[in-house]
């Protein structure tokens, strides 16, 4: 092999190695920063990861907001109209935060199944509902309607017999 061909081969191998390493680092960065959204039902069913951050959304259940007297710890329940999940947050809540409101929280589950939020985001105005929260609430309503229809069908069948 001539010295020129050898030099070209080394350059091609070096270039391919550099591109491979850069691609690997970019993919790793995306995987570490990617944050998925889960409904409260999915969290209770064990679908959500236990060892990494994710987003959870739903409506704050009325009467569940509890504030610690000696710290900024706030505890409340979040629901998708089907399953509630307890959320704990240490910090100042957004001005728009209130019971019955749609929110999205970022954080992770602890060993007790309580979602420990690092950030709480409230909706922008009365008409806005985060798309992920609206989807999970709609799915919960559809599931509930399907259960009611199934129960009505079974009652009708029992009456016929």
């Amino acid at each position: 092999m001539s010295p020129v061909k050898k030099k070209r081969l080394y350059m091609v191998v070096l270039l391919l190695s550099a591109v491979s390493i850069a691609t690997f680092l970019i993919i790793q960065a995306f995987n570490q920063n990617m944050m998925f959204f889960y409904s409260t039902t999915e969290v209770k069913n064990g679908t959500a990861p236990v060892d990494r951050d994710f987003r959870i959304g739903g409506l704050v259940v009325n009467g569940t907001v509890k504030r610690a007297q000696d710290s900024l710890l706030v505890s409340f329940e979040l629901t998708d109209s089907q399953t509630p999940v307890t959320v704990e947050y240490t910090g100042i809540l957004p001005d728009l935060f209130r019971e019955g409101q749609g929110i999205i929280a970022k954080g992770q589950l602890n060993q007790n199944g309580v979602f420990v939020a690092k950030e709480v985001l409230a909706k922008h105005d009365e008409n806005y509902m985060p798309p992920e929260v609206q989807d999970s609430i709609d799915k919960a309503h559809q599931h509930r309607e399907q259960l009611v229809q199934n129960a009505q069908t079974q009652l009708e069948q029992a009456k016929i017999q």
Side-chain angles (χ1 to χ4, degrees):
M1 189 181 281
S2 71
V4 173
K5 287 184 179 181
K6 202 180 245 187
K7 188 174 182 180
R8 280 186 193 159
L9 179 64
Y10 287 141
M11 291 300 282
V12 168
V13 168
L14 181 65
L15 183 64
L16 287 175
S17 298
V19 169
S20 298
I21 290 171
T23 303
F24 173 77
L25 292 174
I26 289 170
I27 290 172
Q28 285 297 104
F30 278 129
N31 285 338
Q32 290 175 357
N33 292 328
M34 193 175 294
M35 196 171 304
F36 293 103
F37 175 84
Y38 293 91
S39 69
T40 56
T41 300
E42 291 172 325
V43 170
K44 280 291 186 179
N45 291 340
T47 308
V50 179
D51 58 342
R52 66 182 298 197
D53 286 358
F54 62 92
R55 295 182 302 161
I56 185 173
L59 300 173
V60 179
V61 178
N62 290 329
T64 63
V65 177
K66 296 175 182 74
R67 299 176 189 270
Q69 296 297 324
D70 57 345
S71 69
L72 294 176
L73 179 67
V74 179
S75 175
F76 56 92
E77 287 189 2
L78 200 59
T79 185
D80 60 359
S81 299
Q82 190 173 0
T83 310
V85 171
T86 302
V87 177
E88 289 182 352
Y89 175 68
T90 302
I92 299 173
L93 290 168
D95 291 336
L96 296 174
F97 179 90
R98 65 181 181 277
E99 294 178 346
Q101 164 147 358
I103 66 156
I104 292 180
K106 297 178 183 179
Q108 60 181 250
L109 285 174
N110 66 11
Q111 298 83 3
N112 302 327
V114 174
F115 186 81
V116 179
K118 296 177 183 174
E119 183 178 9
V120 174
L121 305 171
K123 69 180 183 176
H124 298 288
D125 64 17
E126 294 176 10
N127 301 321
Y128 177 76
M129 177 72 68
E132 298 94 344
V133 173
Q134 187 64 50
D135 289 344
S136 66
I137 290 171
D138 290 344
K139 286 178 186 175
H141 283 296
Q142 289 172 356
H143 180 70
R144 185 175 288 162
E145 288 174 6
Q146 186 177 13
L147 289 175
V148 169
Q149 286 178 348
N150 290 344
Q152 288 174 345
T153 304
Q154 289 175 355
L155 284 173
E156 289 174 7
Q157 289 176 353
K159 286 179 184 178
I160 293 173
Q161 296 174 358

